[in-house]
Amino acid sequence: MFRRVTVVVALAGVCLAPAACGGGAGEQGSEEGPVEVVATYSILGDMVENVGGEEVELTTLVGADSDAHTFEPAPSDNAKLAEAAVVFENGLEFESWLDELYESSGSEAERVAVTEGIEPLAAPEEQHGEEEHAGEEDHEGEEEHGEADPHAWHDVSRAMVMVETVRGALVEADPDNAEAYRANTKKYLSELQELDAEVMERTKSVPKENRVLFTSHDTFGYFAERYGFEVDTALASVSTEASDPSAGETAALIREIEDSGVPAIFAENVSNSDSMRRVASEAGVDLAPTLYTDALGKPDSEGGTYVKMMRHNASTVADALSG
């Protein structure tokens, strides 16, 4: 079930009838050129690009270093959805703005939720109990998800399921190029299998007592389950979606970090790094190099692709917590 959030989008000059615009759903084969597809955010876009290769023309709505939770669609996004044959989305209520955008665009594209075949974890609120979130309503703008945690890509084995879903959708939309999609996927899945083993091995160096992730975003539940960590969500208020924590909240955060004994906390490429830096300094711990969470980094960065992002995150976590 998708949660609807009203998004006001200017539609002037945007064609809302896909057939009249020359786009829309249905099979698009090599005779008509690449299949036009949309991915909602950069991590998913990278997966689609690896599977689709030259056979797809990809538009990614939420780009590098951008937060899908605070994304505001533009009129050009309506046009891209109207022209697309397939829209790839994460699902699990990750893209709260998509239902309204899809409807306003008049798109007839097939919507594919790539988490459909994944057994989801409970959302952080469900994992940690309601008593830890008393007074949560006072934090306006904080992230809200449904009952399931949408951040499945932080477990590489689940990311492989997402990739297989992308392959199936592209084969159905463009059967003329099915063999290319299958070959691309086979190659990419082999790379992801190696990546999963690499992340597993790289994070083994972290001592048991340090295997706690203090981050500013409730995004590492799948990573923690797969690679043997715990997640502390005390820093969740220090994000792009919340105002700076109050003095009392900051003092409580510092005490919790000090009591845990961890040597470092982690900022993310969609978080408020200034606030994180201040908390780390007052708690007497290191602020580790930035992790990539809900978005890739710029193409030339250490998080420029999904594989590079996961490799960077694993190394950063291991280096920061092994000391």
Side-chain angles (χ1 to χ4, degrees), residues 35-39 44-49 56-60 88:
V35 181
E36 294 192 38
V37 301
V38 168
L44 179 53
D46 185 56
M47 295 177 182
V48 173
E49 187 172 21
V56 303
E57 182 176 334
L58 172 67
T59 296
T60 300
F88 291 102

Side-chain angles (χ1 to χ4, degrees), residues 93-259:
E93 302 191 34
F94 182 66
E95 303 96 339
S96 61
W97 38 266
L98 183 59
D99 282 358
E100 190 74 18
L101 177 62
Y102 182 86
E103 183 177 350
S104 69
S105 73
S107 178
E108 296 179 2
E110 183 72 20
R111 286 178 63 172
V112 178
V114 297
T115 56
E116 191 67 34
I118 291 173
E119 183 68 29
L121 298 179
E125 289 82 358
E126 300 297 320
Q127 292 172 344
H128 298 289
E130 294 181 1
E131 70 280 358
E132 293 189 18
H133 295 269
E136 189 175 68
E137 64 274 10
D138 295 332
H139 300 291
E140 293 184 8
E142 286 189 18
E143 174 181 355
E144 295 180 6
H145 289 308
E147 295 182 356
D149 184 343
H151 307 95
W153 58 87
H154 286 292
D155 170 355
V156 180
S157 68
R158 284 180 167 98
M160 293 171 69
V161 177
M162 297 166 68
V163 168
E164 290 172 338
T165 299
V166 171
R167 176 192 59 197
L170 288 178
V171 167
E172 183 175 348
D174 181 19
D176 288 347
N177 289 307
E179 289 309 308
Y181 299 136
R182 292 187 180 110
N184 291 345
T185 302
K186 182 178 180 180
K187 179 181 178 181
Y188 191 43
L189 289 177
S190 178
E191 186 177 6
L192 294 184
Q193 283 181 324
E194 294 178 4
L195 175 66
D196 188 44
E198 181 180 338
V199 173
M200 193 82 70
E201 182 64 29
R202 185 70 183 87
T203 54
K204 281 182 179 179
S205 63
V206 179
K208 183 178 180 179
E209 63 272 16
N210 287 353
R211 301 181 77 84
V212 181
L213 301 174
F214 279 88
T215 70
S216 58
H217 196 61
D218 292 336
T219 190
F220 279 103
Y222 291 94
F223 183 94
E225 183 192 65
R226 178 67 175 170
Y227 305 111
F229 288 82
E230 296 179 14
V231 177
D232 193 303
T233 61
L235 296 174
S237 62
V238 188
S239 72
T240 57
E241 302 154 56
S243 57
D244 288 342
S246 66
E249 289 172 328
T250 301
L253 296 178
I254 292 168
R255 284 195 300 272
E256 187 162 347
I257 295 168
E258 290 173 338
D259 291 345

Side-chain angles (χ1 to χ4, degrees), residues 286-299:
D286 292 332
L287 178 61
T290 300
L291 299 178
Y292 297 94
T293 54
D294 286 5
L296 299 180
K298 296 294 189 292

